[in-house]
Amino acid sequence: MGRTPLRMAAATTLATLFIASTATAGYAGVEEVTHPTPVEGTPGHYIVVMKSDPLASYTGDVKGLQATKPAEGEQLETDSAESQRYVQHLETEQQSLAQQIGVTPDTSYQVVLNGFSAQLTGEQVDKLRASKDVYDVYPDEIRHPDAQTSTSFLGLGDDKKGRGGIWQATGGVDRAGEGIVVGVIDTGIAPEHPSFAGKKLKKQKKQQNRHKGAEPYTDGTYIYFDKSDGGQFKSLMVEGQEWDKSDYSSKIIGAQYFYTGAEADGFDFQYDFLSPRDGAGHGSHTASTAAGNFGVKASIENVDFGKISGVAPGAKISAYKACYEGPDPAVTTDDICALSDLVAAIDQAVADGVDVINYSIGGGAAKTVLAPEDIAFFNAAAAGVFVSASAGNDGPDASTADHASPWYTTVAASTIPTWEGTVTFDGFAQAGASVSVPFGSEVTGPSIYAGDAAAAGAVNAQQCLPGTLDPAKVTGHIVVCDRGNNARAEKSQVVKDAGGTGMILVNVPGGADSLDNDFHAVPTVHLASAHRAAVLAYVQGGVDRPVTLIGENTTGVTTPVPQIAGFSSRGPMLADGSDIMKPDVAAPGVAILAATNNAADEAPTFGILSGTSMAAPHVAGLAALYLGERPNATPAEIKSAMMTTAYDTVNADGSKNTNPFEQGAGQVDPKRYFSPGLLYLNGVKDWTAYLEGKGLADFPGDPIDGSDLNIASFSIGSLASAQTVTRTVTSTEKGTFTASVDLPGIDVTVEPSTLKFDRAGQTASFTVTFDNASAPVEQWATGSLTWSSAKNSVRSPIAVFPVTADAPAEVSGTGVDGTTTVEVTPGLSGDLALDLSGLTPFELLADPDGRVQGHSGDEASGDENKDVSWIVDVPAGTTLSRFDLDSSDDTGSDLDLSVYHVVSPDDLRYYTKWQSATGSADEQVTLTAPEAGTYLVVANVYSTSAPMTWDMTYANVQPGGEGAFTANPNPIAAVRGEKTSYELSWTGLTSGARYLGLVRYADSAVSTIVTVDAR
């Protein structure tokens, strides 16, 4: 990252410029966190991120140390003399800081993150956060795995010999991904599994010359593999529980494990292996999906499922275990993926030299694009590593997607043709998911709804919870069970234990509506929520009404695919604005058959799993395929090629699904992505300009609006009047491309509308201007832009959010009596009401020591950390709160400001924190519609160079206020897109005071802050 990422760019007027940071373990969705956290540092396990660039993005600003950041299209050489010297430099800096604070690091990072993890006391946390060398100190959070063959469905080739698709076009299955290493950060790997079978590694000394296409080898300590891009993969061989060096092979050329963070959390490892061996199955599943061997025979519980293959069967695999299985294998909530272990795994994977990383790990809805793993992936991408990340399994609600950053690819889950069964009874025949009704067989019996078969005193029997069913009512029946509250497979076991002979599992309207191929204890068909009412009407309409379960789809209706899974997390992203669209693409993630786990003395196993965890490795495998053909392709090139060649998924009725917040650009299409026509390329300079434009970091170069980042999608989070965005494309072929746009309700102009290329590799820029014509305000309008040539089409998804008005974020005025004119551009026509709050005078927070009269403090103020604090009450109905920290020395001082919403004046644990910590003298935090309660205000005297004073003031704006604050005209006679103005006026203010007010536009979130200096 840049050299000064901590000192955030100065926040001006909008609360949206501030990241609401929460220090609870894991993310809690898009709502405010409800578990308060102490303001002072609390003892615990933390990740300390230092300011200096890590190896992957170091540009040579330390005297005597050459730059190590790779050139575009090249990969990081971690083993070079320059890299080793810089790593040693970082280690020295880390050790110096640790010794200074009295910390003993348990893991250190140098490649994609510069820092370390450690057990810290509260005092050590405070000292580290105050250190000039530290970017931030993050509590170690807990993540969790996001849990016809998909390869055939994707068009890679047939299951018998791999013919008729992309595998054959790229040289056959043995060469599909050849020379590429896929790193899988997950729960480990099962080395005995046939999906990972390989040759014994040849033992020899490290070769000085590299030979592309050579087999991997070992010197007994490391494994070496000369990759197709000319780089070398080098990974340490480790040993552990049920794992030794013989478990490595020509297929599994890397496997390591990371556990100090989980250990620090007190995790009990007895249910897993303290080694790279997979104890959960999730890691083996994702690894075999991405790069498992071709044509592996698969069976589960003696049911033959034919053959399976990974997407890139010719690629090598390196497993990085950072997740561990808890006591209940049916859930992921008791598993653990400590953030510090995940960062260590990312750091090691890039250090080893992987080409692709699969990251099927989630932490809930993303709240920022700069979480620790986002920073690590920024530098991984800077080192040329493609990252595929799962979008999360919290759908179908909006704004639930994880992994918001633009430098990796976020993947939604879609369906493929799968194993089905049929439920039939008089007048009803519907197909659902089933692998437990024997293929081609039928099970018939009397039916009963579980809610009507409750045992005495049972609660929620309709969900078939353990102990809730009465055997006297259930025996011999096919039982209808509602989804929810316990594992799906457990429900069928409950039915079996009560004497039932079969189960119809029905989804409940409003809940998860995915259909899952679980292995059940009794023959079962899983139906969508749309059929629940009909099933219950029949079953409850009489006694023992007969139903039949059939082990195939006999309805004559083919289930439409691919559909976005109900569980797949959705956009739009709320992290740092909505100018980056996620997810990026969709890939198969429902009922995916792949390898699972086994102990060393057990037979290999297979499993059918669903989740965006299963979708992400399909994209990781496709990236490996792409790199196998084009070894020097950048992550942005691969992502663009996948996005612009993707196609629409479908809805349940077979109609097109064009919602980009569900599918991103659409379903990946390997049959087309090698010939995308045009590429939207971007790199480190683009990403840093984007971050600087968001006020998230300081970098050399000019900032850009988030909508102008050169990615293959268009997203504008606020559109009141015409807005123009710019893109540059690189051709992959000769030809003339003509633009067309489908965006109902929005006028779109593309200039130029035709792009001509004489050869591949040429670039051209174009602008796209968006202006609302008839789309409803305060709602997303979605569509697409397509560039078409004689032989190709290049499509990008679009999402714009028309707003009520484009108004200035802040205006100011002066005088005891006065006026100021506000210019706005309405986003609608008709009466536009103005809702005024204030004016409210700012109050000075006096020096708590009483030493500096008339001010809040001076250069000598503060405790040992140079902090000064006050308690402020924010009353109910407050529309705006502002906290201003103003220094008398604007050139020689640096102050920082933090505001916390705390439990009470006597309980300083906080719900939410806002911080303004720039390199300047003055700081400001502004909160729109803050929650009523107690707030702790902390000013930090970071540095001073001369005697000075400073003032800490605040104002809570309420409806009504001083100065007869009015607007004229009100309402405004608005015409959409035409600039107009209104006048704000006040009278009778107190001379010498400063005031704060707010103007809201109708019922929207658009507002203008008003400050008045009454002098």
Side-chain angles (χ1 to χ4, degrees):
M1 301 291 293
R3 284 168 288 284
T4 57
L6 173 63
R7 318 297 293 167
M8 295 171 61
T12 51
T13 58
L14 298 179
T16 54
L17 287 182
F18 293 89
I19 305 169
S21 64
T22 60
T24 55
Y27 294 127
V30 297
E31 300 298 328
E32 184 182 68
V33 175
T34 57
H35 302 293
T37 300
V39 172
E40 291 85 9
T42 52
H45 199 253
Y46 287 82
I47 301 170
V48 180
V49 181
M50 298 179 67
K51 288 184 180 179
S52 297
D53 290 331
L55 184 69
S57 56
Y58 171 60
T59 55
D61 58 333
V62 178
K63 185 177 181 180
L65 295 176
Q66 295 182 24
T68 56
K69 176 181 175 292
E72 187 169 305
E74 297 181 6
Q75 288 218 327
L76 182 67
E77 288 284 352
T78 58
D79 225 17
S80 70
E82 293 83 2
S83 291
Q84 292 304 304
R85 281 195 289 269
Y86 187 65
V87 165
Q88 187 176 20
H89 167 75
L90 293 181
E91 288 175 339
T92 300
E93 284 193 335
Q94 293 170 7
Q95 291 165 4
S96 176
L97 176 65
Q99 289 170 2
Q100 176 187 340
I101 306 297
V103 173
T104 302
D106 49 43
T107 304
S108 62
Y109 322 112
Q110 293 90 29
V111 181
V112 296
L113 207 69
N114 173 21
F116 55 86
S117 65
Q119 198 74 28
L120 304 178
T121 66
E123 183 181 7
Q124 288 169 335
V125 173
D126 290 335
K127 288 182 177 178
L128 284 165
R129 283 179 171 154
S131 170
K132 62 182 177 57
D133 298 318
V134 172
Y135 169 37
D136 207 348
V137 182
Y138 296 89
D140 199 359
E141 300 178 349
I142 305 303
R143 303 284 194 259
H144 299 286
D146 287 332
Q148 167 190 33
T149 64
S150 58
T151 52
S152 175
F153 178 73
L154 287 172
L156 298 177
D158 65 50
D159 296 327
K160 291 184 178 181
K161 295 185 178 181
R163 294 176 178 172
I166 297 302
W167 285 333
Q168 184 176 358
T170 56
V173 294
D174 293 336
R175 297 190 59 189
E178 184 180 36
I180 304 302
V181 183
V182 177
V184 181
I185 298 173
D186 215 298
T187 65
I189 197 164
E192 300 84 5
H193 202 283
S195 288
F196 311 124
K199 298 176 183 178
K200 183 178 178 179
L201 291 168
K202 182 180 178 181
K203 189 171 183 180
Q204 63 186 56
K205 292 182 179 180
K206 181 183 178 182
Q207 303 298 298
Q208 296 304 312
N209 297 320
R210 299 178 183 178
H211 305 280
K212 296 180 184 179
E215 283 294 299
Y217 63 93
T218 179
D219 61 6
T221 302
Y222 291 93
I223 296 174
Y224 303 91
F225 176 58
D226 296 334
K227 305 185 302 172
S228 60
D229 64 356
Q232 186 177 72
F233 175 85
K234 174 187 173 183
S235 187
L236 179 68
M237 302 176 79
V238 303
E239 295 186 333
Q241 187 178 2
E242 296 196 21
W243 185 279
D244 60 33
K245 292 183 178 180
S246 66
D247 289 313
Y248 297 96
S249 68
S250 61
K251 184 67 174 181
I252 301 176
I253 64 171
Q256 299 183 49
Y257 63 108
F258 307 85
Y259 63 92
T260 56
E263 185 177 54
D265 193 65
F267 186 76
D268 184 354
F269 293 96
Q270 68 170 304
Y271 305 101
D272 206 319
F273 304 98
L274 207 51
S275 75
R277 180 173 292 279
D278 188 359
H282 193 271
S284 297
H285 199 282
T286 55
S288 63
T289 299
N293 290 328
F294 172 77
V296 175
K297 292 182 179 180
S299 64
I300 305 175
E301 297 186 7
N302 298 318
V303 178
D304 182 6
F305 286 92
K307 295 180 179 181
I308 63 168
S309 301
V311 174
K316 307 299 184 185
I317 295 172
S318 188
Y320 300 87
K321 181 176 180 177
C323 300
Y324 294 85
E325 175 84 341
D328 186 353
V331 299
T332 62
T333 52
D334 62 359
D335 302 341
I336 191 169
C337 306
L339 181 56
S340 60
D341 294 335
L342 292 166
V343 171
I346 300 167
D347 198 67
Q348 190 61 56
V350 177
D352 287 350
V354 302
D355 302 285
V356 176
I357 288 176
N358 185 75
Y359 194 71
S360 292
I361 309 296
K367 291 188 174 181
T368 177
V369 297
L370 281 182
E373 66 264 62
D374 296 322
I375 300 171
F377 284 140
F378 176 104
N379 290 295
V385 179
F386 178 91
V387 178
S388 176
S390 54
N393 298 335
D394 296 321
D397 292 339
S399 300
T400 51
D402 198 1
H403 304 306
S405 305
W407 40 83
Y408 49 67
T409 302
T410 305
V411 189
S414 60
T415 63
I416 57 174
T418 189
W419 303 278
E420 293 183 309
T422 305
V423 176
T424 66
F425 50 78
D426 188 22
F428 182 93
Q430 293 294 338
S434 180
V435 290
S436 55
V437 181
F439 297 149
S441 300
E442 295 184 3
V443 177
T444 300
S447 61
I448 189 169
Y449 177 50
D452 299 327
V459 178
N460 292 329
Q462 74 276 9
Q463 294 177 330
C464 297
L465 305 178
T468 61
L469 299 184
D470 184 352
K473 299 176 182 177
V474 170
T475 298
H477 286 72
I478 295 174
V479 182
V480 179
C481 297
D482 282 343
R483 181 175 185 169
N485 231 355
N486 63 331
R488 299 179 300 270
E490 184 180 63
K491 297 177 188 291
S492 63
Q493 186 63 52
V494 171
V495 170
K496 182 178 181 179
D497 292 344
T501 59
M503 180 176 75
I504 302 173
L505 175 60
V506 290
N507 292 339
V508 178
D513 207 25
S514 61
L515 300 180
D516 300 276
N517 291 104
D518 303 302
F519 276 82
H520 289 281
V522 294
T524 298
V525 177
H526 185 177
L527 293 179
S529 61
H531 307 308
R532 180 175 181 269
V535 170
L536 293 190
Y538 173 79
V539 171
Q540 293 182 300
V543 178
D544 294 344
R545 288 190 159 184
V547 298
T548 298
L549 310 180
I550 305 172
E552 59 184 312
N553 184 349
T554 61
T555 65
V557 178
T558 301
T559 302
V561 293
Q563 298 180 41
I564 295 299
F567 60 75
S568 189
S569 293
R570 268 73 165 166
M573 306 305 291
L574 301 182
D576 303 318
S578 299
D579 292 333
I580 298 297
M581 186 188 299
K582 293 283 181 171
D584 295 305
V585 291
V590 178
I592 304 302
L593 174 62
T596 45
N597 57 305
N598 59 268
D601 58 353
E602 295 177 346
T605 64
F606 297 83
I608 299 172
L609 300 180
S610 296
T612 55
S613 278
M614 286 64 250
H618 283 89
V619 167
L622 290 175
L625 276 182
Y626 196 98
L627 287 167
E629 292 296 297
R630 297 165 188 175
N632 297 115
T634 64
E637 175 183 334
I638 302 168
K639 178 179 175 179
S640 176
M642 289 186 188
M643 291 182 66
T644 61
T645 58
Y647 62 92
D648 285 329
T649 57
V650 297
N651 297 307
D653 61 1
S655 61
K656 281 187 177 182
N657 176 12
T658 59
N659 187 342
F661 300 132
E662 294 184 3
Q663 67 173 7
Q667 179 84 353
V668 289
D669 188 357
K671 299 185 297 296
R672 291 191 58 219
Y673 82 138
F674 279 114
S675 301
L678 301 174
L679 293 169
Y680 293 81
L681 301 180
N682 51 83
V684 173
K685 288 184 179 179
D686 303 283
W687 307 332
T688 56
Y690 157 76
L691 291 173
E692 191 165 9
K694 287 293 183 184
L696 298 174
D698 294 331
F699 292 100
D702 296 326
I704 61 171
D705 184 89
S707 299
D708 281 320
L709 184 60
N710 200 56
I711 54 178
S713 59
F714 297 81
S715 183
I716 298 176
S718 178
L719 180 72
S721 59
Q723 180 172 340
T724 300
V725 300
T726 302
R727 291 291 188 273
T728 299
V729 290
T730 302
S731 67
T732 65
E733 62 191 43
K734 178 182 179 180
T736 300
F737 290 80
T738 302
S740 60
V741 178
D742 179 15
L743 188 60
I746 305 293
D747 286 336
V748 183
T749 302
V750 182
E751 182 63 36
S753 59
T754 299
L755 301 176
K756 184 177 181 179
F757 301 94
D758 298 322
R759 55 179 173 79
Q762 287 184 319
T763 63
S765 296
F766 63 92
T767 61
V768 186
T769 301
F770 300 92
D771 193 10
N772 189 16
S774 59
V777 296
E778 311 303 323
Q779 296 180 33
W780 285 96
T782 61
S784 60
L785 162 66
T786 302
W787 288 99
S788 302
S789 69
K791 63 177 182 178
N792 221 330
S793 62
V794 184
R795 190 181 70 165
S796 295
I798 300 173
V800 298
F801 192 80
V803 293
T804 300
D806 182 11
E810 185 160 343
V811 297
S812 62
T814 59
V816 171
D817 308 310
T819 63
T820 190
T821 300
V822 183
E823 290 189 348
V824 298
T825 303
L828 48 73
S829 296
D831 286 345
L832 177 57
L834 305 177
D835 183 9
L836 276 61
S837 300
L839 298 167
T840 301
F842 278 90
E843 297 183 36
L844 175 72
L845 293 171
D847 178 7
D849 297 333
R851 184 175 54 82
V852 186
Q853 295 298 314
H855 299 286
S856 302
D858 61 14
E859 76 283 353
S861 297
D863 59 18
E864 63 176 2
N865 293 320
K866 303 297 290 180
D867 287 336
V868 183
S869 60
W870 300 264
I871 292 293
V872 171
D873 180 64
V874 174
T878 298
T879 58
L880 179 75
S881 292
R882 172 167 283 182
F883 304 86
D884 268 337
L885 180 56
D886 182 32
S887 171
S888 66
D889 180 7
D890 288 339
T891 59
S893 64
D894 181 2
L895 308 182
D896 292 334
L897 174 62
S898 299
V899 178
Y900 304 82
H901 178 203
V902 298
V903 176
S904 71
D906 300 319
D907 185 350
L908 297 184
R909 294 175 297 156
Y910 70 85
Y911 297 104
T912 311
K913 170 187 175 182
W914 298 265
Q915 185 178 54
S916 180
T918 73
S920 64
D922 302 333
E923 304 291 350
Q924 185 180 90
V925 168
T926 304
L927 308 178
T928 302
E931 186 172 346
T934 303
Y935 286 70
L936 174 69
V937 180
V938 180
N940 177 260
V941 186
Y942 190 79
S943 66
T944 59
S945 60
M948 45 82 76
T949 59
W950 50 271
D951 295 335
M952 183 71 241
T953 59
Y954 79 96
N956 293 318
V957 178
Q958 296 267 317
E962 300 182 19
F965 188 41
T966 57
N968 184 48
N970 189 8
I972 297 172
V975 178
R976 185 192 59 78
E978 292 187 7
K979 283 188 177 181
T980 186
S981 64
Y982 63 93
E983 185 178 79
L984 293 171
S985 62
W986 55 90
T987 186
L989 298 179
T990 301
S991 178
R994 289 192 308 122
Y995 289 82
L996 186 69
L998 184 71
V999 180
R1000 285 188 57 206
Y1001 299 87
D1003 294 326
S1004 74
V1006 182
S1007 61
T1008 296
I1009 297 171
V1010 182
T1011 58
V1012 176
D1013 193 347
R1015 294 179 184 176

